[in-house]
Amino acid sequence: MSNLIKPKDYKALLDMRETEQGIKEIKEFFQQNLSTELRLRRVTAPLFVLKGLGINDDLNGVERPVTFPIKDLGDAKAEVVHSLAKWKRLTLAEYEIEPGYGIYTDMNAIRADEEMDNLHSLYVDQWDWEAVINKEDRTIAYLEDVVKRIYAAILRTEFLTCESYPQIKPFLPNQIHFVHSQDLLDMYPDLSPKEREDAICKKYGAVFVEGIGGKLSNGEKHDGRAADYDDWSTLSENGKAGLNGDILIWYPVLERSFELSSMGIRVDKAALLRQLKCEGQEEREQLYFHQQLLSDKLPLSIGGGIGQSRLCMVMLHKAHIGEIQASIWPEDMREECEKFGMPLI
């Protein structure tokens, strides 16, 4: 409950019926725009994968996946996905997708260790996408171009929402600002990573923070990233490490920075080996996914996830993600949210 933000004088702009209709319109419109911008085809995704193959996303390496035995497989263990970062790359290879094209899917996950607040739920829904690239595309310039395309789709979605519901007013800036996490540390050396994100987002409105996962000059990471999907250790053309990042906006409803997407150019063989060594996880080289990559059976790719409930929350100016999605919440949080005009579904 200590993390719950209770905006003063908050009042939802849409009732529950309008909210449900808005969610439908936003999801349909945005995914069509994303597909067109990045040349993605829709595919069907798993809810769970077999344990021990290295396919599930390890997030920060401490979150426990929901696990259950499969009777017909001799009680072999399955894990509910955290995300599909590595599964998508296997699928690109299976479907023989050409460079410049990719896939997207509806990803539904359970993150049982999530600390629940206005933005975090046990239930995670996002558009997971992945596209094949060429070796020469593994640059910060290519990454930033893709970010601009995604942000353009977000802006068009905001325009549609405001046209459909005139009581909602646009607030996103026309351009997204790019900054490396090391430069952010240099700008705000006395602030925590979260406080630095708040400061830069309040200044520019929409920001892509680059280079997340490796240690900065203060010996700390801006945020955690698994070693085996995003490439956070390769030096880019600007001389800084990291070909990944987060799309963040300043969200006036909660007066804080708000992450909409985590994405990046994926590891090649050299980056995978370097990052596993850096994290002391060399034993993972023997897992199925990692062997496929090290054996040149997977294409080079770029990919990420875009929060569905989060995007709808921003577009509809909601104060709590529980106003958008059905999930489980502590009873005292439900009561407190009701008191402050944030009825949870």
Side-chain angles (χ1 to χ4, degrees):
M1 284 295 294
S2 61
N3 295 326
L4 183 66
I5 301 172
K6 295 167 276 192
K8 187 179 179 182
D9 301 323
Y10 171 74
K11 187 177 188 322
L13 299 179
L14 304 181
D15 61 27
M16 293 189 75
R17 183 190 63 80
E18 292 172 317
T19 297
E20 293 287 5
Q21 182 62 31
I23 292 170
K24 178 177 181 292
E25 292 176 2
I26 290 165
K27 288 186 175 182
E28 289 177 349
F29 183 81
F30 179 78
Q31 70 181 9
Q32 184 59 53
N33 273 261
L34 180 70
S35 172
T36 302
E37 278 285 357
L38 302 185
R39 294 192 288 189
L40 310 173
R41 70 172 70 159
R42 190 190 181 283
V43 298
T44 301
L47 178 60
F48 39 81
V49 294
L50 281 174
K51 183 178 181 178
L53 298 180
I55 297 175
N56 204 358
D57 183 352
D58 293 310
L59 300 178
N60 293 308
V62 296
E63 295 87 350
R64 300 168 300 168
V66 175
T67 306
F68 61 92
I70 305 171
K71 180 181 177 181
D72 275 1
L73 293 182
D75 281 347
K77 296 293 178 63
E79 294 179 343
V80 176
V81 297
H82 277 147
S83 86
L84 298 170
K86 290 176 280 188
W87 176 88
K88 291 176 297 181
R89 199 163 174 187
L90 293 167
T91 303
L92 290 177
E94 182 180 354
Y95 286 12
E96 299 181 343
I97 304 292
E98 295 293 322
Y101 295 87
I103 58 173
Y104 80 93
T105 191
D106 292 293
M107 192 283 298
N108 297 289
I110 300 172
R111 297 183 183 175
D113 289 336
E114 199 72 81
E115 294 182 10
M116 291 179 275
D117 57 24
N118 300 67
L119 304 185
H120 297 91
S121 169
L122 301 177
Y123 169 61
V124 179
D125 57 341
Q126 62 186 33
W127 290 285
D128 249 326
W129 65 273
E130 198 86 8
V132 179
I133 60 175
N134 294 304
K135 184 177 181 180
E136 57 267 26
D137 298 326
R138 302 189 78 257
T139 67
I140 200 71
Y142 188 90
L143 173 65
E144 290 182 355
D145 180 67
V146 173
V147 170
K148 290 175 185 176
R149 290 173 177 272
I150 294 172
Y151 188 68
I154 292 172
L155 286 180
R156 287 196 292 273
T157 305
E158 183 185 48
F159 177 78
L160 168 81
T161 307
C162 295
E163 284 285 292
S164 300
Y165 305 98
Q167 65 269 45
I168 297 176
K169 305 302 179 186
F171 68 90
L172 293 174
N174 290 329
Q175 305 292 330
I176 187 167
H177 179 76
F178 294 90
V179 64
H180 193 277
S181 55
Q182 179 60 56
D183 293 331
L184 201 54
L185 173 60
D186 295 340
M187 293 165 63
Y188 306 108
D190 299 325
L191 300 183
S192 68
K194 178 64 182 67
E195 290 169 337
R196 296 198 289 270
E197 291 179 353
D198 286 344
I200 198 72
C201 286
K202 191 170 185 179
K203 181 176 181 179
Y204 291 104
V207 180
F208 186 70
V209 179
E210 300 168 348
I212 297 178
K215 289 184 179 180
L216 305 177
S217 60
N218 62 356
E220 300 175 0
K221 299 178 180 182
H222 181 83
D223 200 358
R225 282 293 187 277
D228 45 17
Y229 55 97
D230 281 359
D231 186 340
W232 42 258
S233 63
T234 293
L235 287 177
S236 62
E237 57 263 41
N238 61 17
K240 296 184 176 69
L243 296 172
N244 69 340
D246 290 343
I247 296 177
L248 307 169
I249 63 164
W250 177 255
Y251 191 41
V253 175
L254 298 179
E255 295 188 323
R256 56 158 288 173
S257 58
F258 189 114
E259 181 187 323
L260 287 175
S261 176
S262 175
M263 58 176 288
I265 290 172
R266 306 309 197 185
V267 290
D268 58 10
K269 289 195 295 185
L272 175 65
L273 294 172
R274 181 169 59 246
Q275 291 177 185
L276 288 175
K277 183 176 181 179
C278 181
E279 298 297 294
Q281 298 175 347
E282 291 96 330
E283 76 281 356
R284 294 184 66 82
E285 293 174 21
Q286 304 307 315
L287 296 174
Y288 173 75
F289 170 82
H290 305 71
Q291 281 294 304
Q292 291 292 104
L293 178 55
L294 294 172
S295 301
D296 294 314
K297 295 179 180 178
L298 302 182
L300 298 174
S301 68
I302 181 173
I306 303 164
Q308 295 187 12
S309 291
R310 285 197 177 193
L311 183 67
C312 292
M313 181 180 169
V314 167
M315 294 295 120
L316 301 177
H317 294 202
K318 299 291 187 178
H320 196 291
I321 200 165
E323 296 178 83
I324 297 294
Q325 58 162 247
S327 186
I328 296 174
W329 306 98
E331 193 56 38
D332 56 348
M333 180 179 286
R334 282 192 176 275
E335 293 172 0
E336 197 77 358
C337 287
E338 187 76 33
K339 186 191 306 182
F340 283 87
M342 303 180 286
L344 306 186
I345 296 174

PDB file of all heavy atoms in Angstrom, residues 17 59 73 87 100 102 146 167 170 175 205 224 235 243-244 259 271 324 329 333 335 341 343:
ATOM      1  N   ARG A  17     -18.605   1.381 -18.923  1.00  0.00           N
ATOM      2  CA  ARG A  17     -19.023   0.970 -20.262  1.00  0.00           C
ATOM      3  C   ARG A  17     -18.159   1.644 -21.318  1.00  0.00           C
ATOM      4  O   ARG A  17     -17.678   1.001 -22.261  1.00  0.00           O
ATOM      5  CB  ARG A  17     -20.501   1.312 -20.490  1.00  0.00           C
ATOM      6  CG  ARG A  17     -21.033   0.850 -21.856  1.00  0.00           C
ATOM      7  CD  ARG A  17     -22.408   1.423 -22.143  1.00  0.00           C
ATOM      8  NE  ARG A  17     -22.383   2.871 -22.225  1.00  0.00           N
ATOM      9  CZ  ARG A  17     -21.974   3.562 -23.306  1.00  0.00           C
ATOM     10  NH1 ARG A  17     -21.541   2.919 -24.373  1.00  0.00           N
ATOM     11  NH2 ARG A  17     -21.988   4.876 -23.306  1.00  0.00           N
ATOM     12  N   LEU A  59      13.781 -12.001 -16.782  1.00  0.00           N
ATOM     13  CA  LEU A  59      13.591 -10.652 -16.243  1.00  0.00           C
ATOM     14  C   LEU A  59      14.871 -10.207 -15.530  1.00  0.00           C
ATOM     15  O   LEU A  59      15.922 -10.144 -16.127  1.00  0.00           O
ATOM     16  CB  LEU A  59      12.376 -10.616 -15.313  1.00  0.00           C
ATOM     17  CG  LEU A  59      11.038 -11.013 -15.971  1.00  0.00           C
ATOM     18  CD1 LEU A  59       9.921 -10.995 -14.940  1.00  0.00           C
ATOM     19  CD2 LEU A  59      10.694 -10.087 -17.131  1.00  0.00           C
ATOM     20  N   LEU A  73       3.344 -35.814 -19.498  1.00  0.00           N
ATOM     21  CA  LEU A  73       4.773 -35.763 -19.810  1.00  0.00           C
ATOM     22  C   LEU A  73       5.592 -36.225 -18.611  1.00  0.00           C
ATOM     23  O   LEU A  73       6.722 -35.770 -18.392  1.00  0.00           O
ATOM     24  CB  LEU A  73       5.189 -34.346 -20.224  1.00  0.00           C
ATOM     25  CG  LEU A  73       4.623 -33.821 -21.545  1.00  0.00           C
ATOM     26  CD1 LEU A  73       5.156 -32.426 -21.840  1.00  0.00           C
ATOM     27  CD2 LEU A  73       4.962 -34.763 -22.704  1.00  0.00           C
ATOM     28  N   TRP A  87      11.359 -16.757 -27.114  1.00  0.00           N
ATOM     29  CA  TRP A  87      10.451 -17.586 -27.916  1.00  0.00           C
ATOM     30  C   TRP A  87      10.231 -16.970 -29.292  1.00  0.00           C
ATOM     31  O   TRP A  87      10.196 -17.674 -30.308  1.00  0.00           O
ATOM     32  CB  TRP A  87       9.114 -17.754 -27.192  1.00  0.00           C
ATOM     33  CG  TRP A  87       8.099 -18.499 -27.996  1.00  0.00           C
ATOM     34  CD1 TRP A  87       7.904 -19.850 -28.056  1.00  0.00           C
ATOM     35  CD2 TRP A  87       7.129 -17.925 -28.890  1.00  0.00           C
ATOM     36  NE1 TRP A  87       6.885 -20.155 -28.923  1.00  0.00           N
ATOM     37  CE2 TRP A  87       6.384 -18.997 -29.445  1.00  0.00           C
ATOM     38  CE3 TRP A  87       6.805 -16.617 -29.272  1.00  0.00           C
ATOM     39  CZ2 TRP A  87       5.358 -18.801 -30.358  1.00  0.00           C
ATOM     40  CZ3 TRP A  87       5.786 -16.410 -30.179  1.00  0.00           C
ATOM     41  CH2 TRP A  87       5.077 -17.501 -30.717  1.00  0.00           C
ATOM     42  N   GLY A 100      13.781  -7.334 -42.409  1.00  0.00           N
ATOM     43  CA  GLY A 100      12.861  -6.228 -42.642  1.00  0.00           C
ATOM     44  C   GLY A 100      11.422  -6.558 -42.298  1.00  0.00           C
ATOM     45  O   GLY A 100      10.553  -5.676 -42.351  1.00  0.00           O
ATOM     46  N   GLY A 102       8.671  -9.104 -39.620  1.00  0.00           N
ATOM     47  CA  GLY A 102       8.664  -9.741 -38.310  1.00  0.00           C
ATOM     48  C   GLY A 102       7.298 -10.224 -37.894  1.00  0.00           C
ATOM     49  O   GLY A 102       6.393 -10.380 -38.721  1.00  0.00           O
ATOM     50  N   VAL A 146      13.410   2.739 -35.266  1.00  0.00           N
ATOM     51  CA  VAL A 146      12.286   1.879 -34.894  1.00  0.00           C
ATOM     52  C   VAL A 146      11.505   2.491 -33.740  1.00  0.00           C
ATOM     53  O   VAL A 146      10.267   2.460 -33.719  1.00  0.00           O
ATOM     54  CB  VAL A 146      12.795   0.461 -34.531  1.00  0.00           C
ATOM     55  CG1 VAL A 146      11.661  -0.393 -33.968  1.00  0.00           C
ATOM     56  CG2 VAL A 146      13.409  -0.213 -35.751  1.00  0.00           C
ATOM     57  N   GLN A 167     -13.767  14.541 -24.100  1.00  0.00           N
ATOM     58  CA  GLN A 167     -13.392  14.946 -22.745  1.00  0.00           C
ATOM     59  C   GLN A 167     -11.940  14.597 -22.419  1.00  0.00           C
ATOM     60  O   GLN A 167     -11.371  15.111 -21.453  1.00  0.00           O
ATOM     61  CB  GLN A 167     -14.337  14.323 -21.714  1.00  0.00           C
ATOM     62  CG  GLN A 167     -14.306  12.807 -21.597  1.00  0.00           C
ATOM     63  CD  GLN A 167     -15.322  12.121 -22.507  1.00  0.00           C
ATOM     64  OE1 GLN A 167     -15.447  12.481 -23.679  1.00  0.00           O
ATOM     65  NE2 GLN A 167     -16.028  11.139 -21.970  1.00  0.00           N
ATOM     66  N   PRO A 170      -5.273  15.579 -25.434  1.00  0.00           N
ATOM     67  CA  PRO A 170      -3.930  15.039 -25.702  1.00  0.00           C
ATOM     68  C   PRO A 170      -2.874  15.724 -24.840  1.00  0.00           C
ATOM     69  O   PRO A 170      -3.007  16.901 -24.493  1.00  0.00           O
ATOM     70  CB  PRO A 170      -3.723  15.343 -27.182  1.00  0.00           C
ATOM     71  CG  PRO A 170      -4.590  16.522 -27.459  1.00  0.00           C
ATOM     72  CD  PRO A 170      -5.790  16.365 -26.579  1.00  0.00           C
ATOM     73  N   GLN A 175       7.499  14.764 -30.483  1.00  0.00           N
ATOM     74  CA  GLN A 175       8.766  14.078 -30.696  1.00  0.00           C
ATOM     75  C   GLN A 175       9.182  13.349 -29.430  1.00  0.00           C
ATOM     76  O   GLN A 175       8.849  13.766 -28.321  1.00  0.00           O
ATOM     77  CB  GLN A 175       9.871  15.076 -31.084  1.00  0.00           C
ATOM     78  CG  GLN A 175       9.545  15.940 -32.291  1.00  0.00           C
ATOM     79  CD  GLN A 175       9.479  15.155 -33.576  1.00  0.00           C
ATOM     80  OE1 GLN A 175      10.179  14.145 -33.728  1.00  0.00           O
ATOM     81  NE2 GLN A 175       8.669  15.599 -34.517  1.00  0.00           N
ATOM     82  N   GLY A 205       8.783  15.082 -21.796  1.00  0.00           N
ATOM     83  CA  GLY A 205       7.460  14.518 -22.063  1.00  0.00           C
ATOM     84  C   GLY A 205       7.477  13.082 -22.535  1.00  0.00           C
ATOM     85  O   GLY A 205       6.653  12.273 -22.119  1.00  0.00           O
ATOM     86  N   GLY A 224      17.872  -3.624 -14.337  1.00  0.00           N
ATOM     87  CA  GLY A 224      18.308  -4.966 -14.687  1.00  0.00           C
ATOM     88  C   GLY A 224      17.812  -5.412 -16.045  1.00  0.00           C
ATOM     89  O   GLY A 224      16.747  -5.008 -16.488  1.00  0.00           O
ATOM     90  N   LEU A 235      29.372  -1.811 -27.846  1.00  0.00           N
ATOM     91  CA  LEU A 235      29.573  -0.375 -28.044  1.00  0.00           C
ATOM     92  C   LEU A 235      28.897   0.055 -29.338  1.00  0.00           C
ATOM     93  O   LEU A 235      29.095  -0.544 -30.390  1.00  0.00           O
ATOM     94  CB  LEU A 235      31.062  -0.036 -28.098  1.00  0.00           C
ATOM     95  CG  LEU A 235      31.840  -0.080 -26.777  1.00  0.00           C
ATOM     96  CD1 LEU A 235      33.310   0.207 -27.034  1.00  0.00           C
ATOM     97  CD2 LEU A 235      31.284   0.913 -25.778  1.00  0.00           C
ATOM     98  N   LEU A 243      22.513  -1.438 -26.969  1.00  0.00           N
ATOM     99  CA  LEU A 243      21.654  -1.294 -28.145  1.00  0.00           C
ATOM    100  C   LEU A 243      20.203  -1.583 -27.761  1.00  0.00           C
ATOM    101  O   LEU A 243      19.459  -2.205 -28.498  1.00  0.00           O
ATOM    102  CB  LEU A 243      22.115  -2.257 -29.251  1.00  0.00           C
ATOM    103  CG  LEU A 243      23.514  -1.993 -29.826  1.00  0.00           C
ATOM    104  CD1 LEU A 243      23.917  -3.124 -30.769  1.00  0.00           C
ATOM    105  CD2 LEU A 243      23.556  -0.656 -30.547  1.00  0.00           C
ATOM    106  N   ASN A 244      19.825  -1.124 -26.577  1.00  0.00           N
ATOM    107  CA  ASN A 244      18.468  -1.370 -26.093  1.00  0.00           C
ATOM    108  C   ASN A 244      17.975  -0.155 -25.310  1.00  0.00           C
ATOM    109  O   ASN A 244      18.687   0.848 -25.182  1.00  0.00           O
ATOM    110  CB  ASN A 244      18.432  -2.622 -25.215  1.00  0.00           C
ATOM    111  CG  ASN A 244      19.158  -2.414 -23.888  1.00  0.00           C
ATOM    112  OD1 ASN A 244      19.982  -1.511 -23.742  1.00  0.00           O
ATOM    113  ND2 ASN A 244      18.857  -3.249 -22.911  1.00  0.00           N
ATOM    114  N   GLU A 259       6.627   3.813 -17.905  1.00  0.00           N
ATOM    115  CA  GLU A 259       7.222   2.982 -18.946  1.00  0.00           C
ATOM    116  C   GLU A 259       6.142   2.331 -19.798  1.00  0.00           C
ATOM    117  O   GLU A 259       5.254   1.660 -19.277  1.00  0.00           O
ATOM    118  CB  GLU A 259       8.101   1.894 -18.325  1.00  0.00           C
ATOM    119  CG  GLU A 259       8.767   0.998 -19.359  1.00  0.00           C
ATOM    120  CD  GLU A 259       9.509  -0.183 -18.746  1.00  0.00           C
ATOM    121  OE1 GLU A 259      10.123  -0.005 -17.669  1.00  0.00           O
ATOM    122  OE2 GLU A 259       9.462  -1.274 -19.343  1.00  0.00           O
ATOM    123  N   ALA A 271      27.914 -11.087 -28.208  1.00  0.00           N
ATOM    124  CA  ALA A 271      27.289 -10.384 -27.082  1.00  0.00           C
ATOM    125  C   ALA A 271      26.717 -11.367 -26.068  1.00  0.00           C
ATOM    126  O   ALA A 271      26.799 -11.145 -24.854  1.00  0.00           O
ATOM    127  CB  ALA A 271      26.200  -9.452 -27.595  1.00  0.00           C
ATOM    128  N   ILE A 324      -8.329  -0.851 -15.824  1.00  0.00           N
ATOM    129  CA  ILE A 324      -8.260  -1.325 -17.204  1.00  0.00           C
ATOM    130  C   ILE A 324      -8.373  -2.841 -17.295  1.00  0.00           C
ATOM    131  O   ILE A 324      -9.014  -3.375 -18.197  1.00  0.00           O
ATOM    132  CB  ILE A 324      -6.923  -0.877 -17.857  1.00  0.00           C
ATOM    133  CG1 ILE A 324      -6.851   0.651 -17.929  1.00  0.00           C
ATOM    134  CG2 ILE A 324      -6.751  -1.499 -19.239  1.00  0.00           C
ATOM    135  CD1 ILE A 324      -7.875   1.295 -18.856  1.00  0.00           C
ATOM    136  N   TRP A 329      -6.167  -8.077  -6.331  1.00  0.00           N
ATOM    137  CA  TRP A 329      -5.565  -6.972  -5.596  1.00  0.00           C
ATOM    138  C   TRP A 329      -5.803  -7.171  -4.100  1.00  0.00           C
ATOM    139  O   TRP A 329      -6.818  -7.749  -3.707  1.00  0.00           O
ATOM    140  CB  TRP A 329      -6.165  -5.633  -6.031  1.00  0.00           C
ATOM    141  CG  TRP A 329      -6.084  -5.405  -7.503  1.00  0.00           C
ATOM    142  CD1 TRP A 329      -7.068  -5.622  -8.431  1.00  0.00           C
ATOM    143  CD2 TRP A 329      -4.956  -4.948  -8.236  1.00  0.00           C
ATOM    144  NE1 TRP A 329      -6.623  -5.327  -9.692  1.00  0.00           N
ATOM    145  CE2 TRP A 329      -5.331  -4.906  -9.609  1.00  0.00           C
ATOM    146  CE3 TRP A 329      -3.661  -4.560  -7.872  1.00  0.00           C
ATOM    147  CZ2 TRP A 329      -4.453  -4.498 -10.606  1.00  0.00           C
ATOM    148  CZ3 TRP A 329      -2.791  -4.147  -8.857  1.00  0.00           C
ATOM    149  CH2 TRP A 329      -3.188  -4.115 -10.219  1.00  0.00           C
ATOM    150  N   MET A 333      -6.166  -2.383  -0.728  1.00  0.00           N
ATOM    151  CA  MET A 333      -5.917  -1.546  -1.897  1.00  0.00           C
ATOM    152  C   MET A 333      -7.217  -1.270  -2.646  1.00  0.00           C
ATOM    153  O   MET A 333      -7.463  -0.143  -3.087  1.00  0.00           O
ATOM    154  CB  MET A 333      -4.895  -2.190  -2.839  1.00  0.00           C
ATOM    155  CG  MET A 333      -4.587  -1.360  -4.077  1.00  0.00           C
ATOM    156  SD  MET A 333      -3.366  -2.088  -5.205  1.00  0.00           S
ATOM    157  CE  MET A 333      -1.851  -1.813  -4.274  1.00  0.00           C
ATOM    158  N   GLU A 335     -10.192  -1.089  -1.362  1.00  0.00           N
ATOM    159  CA  GLU A 335     -10.966  -0.121  -0.571  1.00  0.00           C
ATOM    160  C   GLU A 335     -10.395   1.281  -0.698  1.00  0.00           C
ATOM    161  O   GLU A 335     -11.142   2.255  -0.835  1.00  0.00           O
ATOM    162  CB  GLU A 335     -10.972  -0.568   0.897  1.00  0.00           C
ATOM    163  CG  GLU A 335     -11.745  -1.861   1.138  1.00  0.00           C
ATOM    164  CD  GLU A 335     -11.584  -2.384   2.545  1.00  0.00           C
ATOM    165  OE1 GLU A 335     -10.857  -1.734   3.344  1.00  0.00           O
ATOM    166  OE2 GLU A 335     -12.173  -3.442   2.862  1.00  0.00           O
ATOM    167  N   GLY A 341     -11.660   7.317  -5.915  1.00  0.00           N
ATOM    168  CA  GLY A 341     -12.232   7.409  -7.268  1.00  0.00           C
ATOM    169  C   GLY A 341     -11.581   6.518  -8.295  1.00  0.00           C
ATOM    170  O   GLY A 341     -11.688   6.784  -9.493  1.00  0.00           O
ATOM    171  N   PRO A 343     -12.076   2.897  -8.989  1.00  0.00           N
ATOM    172  CA  PRO A 343     -12.689   1.570  -8.794  1.00  0.00           C
ATOM    173  C   PRO A 343     -11.981   0.508  -9.631  1.00  0.00           C
ATOM    174  O   PRO A 343     -11.835   0.651 -10.834  1.00  0.00           O
ATOM    175  CB  PRO A 343     -14.135   1.770  -9.257  1.00  0.00           C
ATOM    176  CG  PRO A 343     -14.060   2.923 -10.215  1.00  0.00           C
ATOM    177  CD  PRO A 343     -12.974   3.817  -9.696  1.00  0.00           C
TER     178      PRO A 343
END
